[in-house]
Amino acid sequence: MMRRSPFRTAGRAGLLALALGAPAVGVVPAAALAADPAPRPSLELDQEATKEATWFSIRPDLFPGKSIAEAGAIVQLDAPGRAEDAALVPITIQLAVPAGDPRTLKAVTLVVDENPAPMAGRFTLAEGTRNFALSLRVRVNSYSFVRAVAETSDGALLMTKAYVKAAGGCSAPATKDTADSIAHVGEMRFRSFAATGRPEAQVQIRHPNFSGLQIDQETRGYTPAWFVREVEVKQGEKLIFAMEGGISISEDPTFRFSYTPSSDQVSVRAEDTEGKVFTRTFPGGGS
């Protein structure tokens, strides 16, 4: 049924009321004009609620029965407001427990709300970690909040978020030659940035990381999902980080992370969804 415009309804009623000497329906008395109008939800609040709707639907599956607090300064998330390439969106997470806080950091989970598989990755950290930085590239399928949810040693969950405008990242074709990627699948690179004065290192794993949503240009069918699901990076016997990942991690997964060089070798182990395991050990100073 068509709704009548309130302005149109008030027009006829107002004329009749004026003819009878009564206050017009829809005509606001002068006294009322002087009063403050009743508060109305802003368009911005409505849009914010719409953007958060997906999060409220997926949160119980990702963090069942858990309360999540605002992270404050403990978790910082750097993401572009508008991505140049939806298949290669750069994300940086900075974790830091303030002095005087006895807690340490156990893990951080990266979530892309609107992706078909929202959990991009869960990163377990070394025992006793108080400060850690991690950068990687992810796919973003449509305009979405990206969230970093850190878990502290007492089990608390702390979240921060950023809104990223990007679309089509999960179905975008590979940026590199697929045959070449498959031929070199599992090859790894490690680089330390200690010589530049930055306590960081980077690991790259060659892998097409197919999302299962990309179209094969020859068969016109979907390319089956095939991606790196686990990564473990150690310095000697000590864990630096371990990842459980999904289809949101970009091709050739690349991780830049906090690292202090030592004589201990760096070992990297990765496993993909076909059960292929890739390992390599690098000198502690990087190569």
Side-chain angles (χ1 to χ4, degrees):
M1 181 175 69
M2 181 179 296
R3 295 182 60 188
R4 292 181 296 173
S5 166
F7 299 103
R8 189 173 302 168
T9 304
R12 289 190 178 182
L15 290 174
L16 180 58
L18 288 173
L20 296 175
V25 177
V27 176
V28 181
L33 288 174
D36 291 332
R40 298 176 59 188
S42 69
L43 179 60
E44 290 78 8
L45 290 176
D46 290 341
Q47 291 174 336
E48 184 76 7
T50 299
K51 286 190 252 184
E52 290 283 7
T54 299
W55 168 244
F56 292 127
S57 69
I58 64 177
R59 173 179 163 171
D61 294 324
L62 297 176
F63 305 99
K66 299 282 188 177
S67 60
I68 302 176
E70 291 294 327
I74 294 179
V75 186
Q76 300 290 323
L77 178 65
D78 184 23
R82 184 178 295 276
E84 293 183 8
D85 187 337
L88 297 166
V89 180
I91 301 292
T92 296
I93 303 169
Q94 298 272 358
L95 306 171
V97 178
D101 188 330
R103 297 176 297 177
T104 57
L105 298 158
K106 292 178 62 177
V108 61
T109 301
L110 184 63
V111 179
V112 185
D113 287 8
E114 303 298 338
N115 277 9
M119 192 186 81
R122 184 178 191 274
F123 299 84
T124 301
L125 307 177
E127 186 175 353
T129 297
R130 292 182 59 83
N131 297 273
F132 194 74
L134 176 69
S135 298
L136 68 159
R137 298 174 300 184
V138 300
R139 299 174 169 125
V140 176
N141 206 49
S142 60
Y143 286 24
S144 178
F145 274 116
V146 175
R147 303 172 191 270
V149 183
E151 180 182 359
T152 55
S153 53
D154 61 352
L157 296 180
L158 306 172
M159 182 182 74
T160 192
K161 64 187 178 182
Y163 195 71
V164 176
K165 295 180 179 179
C170 292
S171 58
T175 60
K176 299 178 181 177
D177 179 76
T178 299
D180 183 66
S181 293
I182 293 174
H184 295 278
V185 70
E187 292 183 1
M188 299 182 188
R189 293 179 180 176
F190 170 75
R191 180 184 178 189
S192 169
F193 296 92
T196 67
R198 289 172 290 175
E200 301 171 340
Q202 180 174 289
V203 166
Q204 182 184 67
I205 305 165
R206 291 293 304 274
H207 202 288
N209 252 37
F210 294 135
S211 67
L213 300 173
Q214 295 144 322
I215 299 292
D216 186 303
Q217 298 302 312
E218 295 183 3
T219 66
R220 304 307 299 169
Y222 287 102
T223 301
W226 177 34
F227 55 89
V228 175
R229 67 182 177 190
E230 294 179 6
V231 175
E232 183 181 72
V233 182
K234 288 184 173 182
Q235 187 174 18
E237 296 299 317
K238 183 180 179 181
L239 178 72
I240 297 179
F241 75 88
M243 181 205 76
E244 300 172 42
I247 67 170
S248 297
I249 303 295
S250 302
E251 64 181 299
D252 292 342
T254 303
F255 308 98
R256 189 161 176 161
F257 50 89
S258 297
Y259 171 75
T260 302
S262 71
S263 59
D264 292 328
Q265 294 182 324
V266 173
S267 59
V268 183
R269 179 189 183 278
E271 182 176 341
D272 68 19
T273 50
E274 290 187 353
K276 293 183 173 69
V277 176
F278 315 102
T279 60
R280 188 162 174 195
T281 301
F282 301 90
S287 64

